[in-house]
Amino acid sequence: MGCIRLLGGILLAITATQAEAQDSYPNRPIRLIVGFTAGGPTDTPARLIAEKLRTSLGQSIVVENRPGAGGKIALDYVLSQPRDGYTLSLCTYIDATNTVLLKNPGYALADLAPISQITKAYYAFAVPTALPVQDLASFAAHAKAKPGALNYGHVGAGSMPELVAKRFEQAAGVKMTGVPYKGTAEASMDLAGGRLDFMVAPLIVVQPLLDAGSVKYIGMTSPERLTAFPNVPTAVEQGYRITDNGWLGVCAGAGVPAEIIARLNREVGQAVASPAYRELVEKTGVMPYAGSVDEFRQLVTDTETDMRKLARELGLEAK
């Protein structure tokens, strides 16, 4: 009987300690791990979100870049850490697509605890300014005249830039060579320098190059023309039914207490709704968006489902 009372006391003490830890969260710095290089389309929103969270949570938020393998290196690291809410991931749609495109991804979607979406992004079809093309049709003709000679940049298998490029290849009947990069910033610089011929590019990265006159847009994946780029026709307008988009969000490893996930969802949502964040992303054609935990979890699941369908359509095999 005494042993039972002792065990009960220990369990109560553990429960009280856990509750206290959750109530005082956060009581030390939080790390937000980004799987791509600094200055890219993932890193830039992450840093503004971190800045807003520092104020609202009253705790330091350290952004740490661990680029490589389409974000997998960063996610593997996050999942190796204690599930206490102090190591978060700036997660992307690639985390969901990797479970389809990699034979041994090393994790399942069940290992993730989605917290909140932060962006929805469409892409530009970009080429070097010097390339003698004006639209997707003239680029397709240019590519057909040089079968297999043109290349395009992307940030890894399963990344939206690679998948949309493959979708365009299939629709246009052309063949190009994909060149992987650790980050979109590096790929876009090679595009501007003429070392790449084509790129499905996040606007937040290539906009400065467009402003500088070193690249040009020949199409968009948005269903309708973007307000920021009214003179750039969509792929749909040009006869290609390509309306793909990507997303960014904040995730943790499964097992983080629900109370912490709920609080982070509220705080991230407020950060996304801030005028500074909205101004940053909207001017680059990216849409700020944050919803409930359940809504984001469904988006992650739907992304994996959609990727299975797309992999069948494009004949992609897990690597």
Side-chain angles (χ1 to χ4, degrees), residues 97-234:
T97 62
N98 276 343
T99 61
V100 176
L101 296 176
L102 299 180
K103 289 182 179 178
N104 297 299
Y107 65 91
L109 287 191
D111 296 319
L112 292 176
I115 294 171
S116 177
Q117 184 179 355
I118 64 170
T119 69
K120 179 179 182 180
Y122 292 104
Y123 297 86
F125 294 93
V127 298
T129 301
L131 203 69
V133 301
Q134 298 76 41
D135 51 27
L136 292 175
S138 58
F139 179 80
H142 182 67
K144 287 178 180 178
K146 299 182 177 182
L150 302 190
N151 58 23
Y152 66 91
H154 62 83
V155 290
S159 66
M160 196 58 67
E162 187 208 31
L163 294 172
V164 175
K166 285 183 176 294
R167 191 190 286 275
F168 173 73
E169 283 183 302
Q170 185 183 64
V174 301
K175 182 62 178 175
M176 298 182 287
T177 300
V179 181
Y181 289 79
K182 284 189 175 181
T184 314
E186 294 90 339
S188 63
M189 292 305 295
D190 276 357
L191 180 74
R195 291 175 289 279
L196 290 175
D197 302 295
F198 180 82
M199 186 175 171
V200 178
L203 302 175
I204 195 172
V205 174
V206 293
Q207 183 60 36
L209 302 175
L210 180 76
D211 294 340
S214 54
V215 304
K216 59 187 175 183
Y217 296 161
I218 58 174
M220 292 281 182
T221 67
S222 53
E224 300 176 347
R225 294 194 186 197
L226 296 175
T227 302
F229 306 99
N231 297 322
V232 181
T234 67

Side-chain angles (χ1 to χ4, degrees), residues 1 8 17 24 35 41 56 78 80 91 96 118 138 140 158 163 205 237 243 255-256 270 279 293-294 297 306 312 316:
M1 195 69 178
T17 300
S24 63
S56 63
V78 171
S80 74
C91 49
I118 64 170
S138 58
L163 294 172
V205 174
E237 285 180 71
T243 57
V256 172
Q270 290 176 9
E279 180 182 359
V293 173
D294 288 342
R297 184 183 298 112
D306 292 344
R312 288 193 299 268
L316 303 178

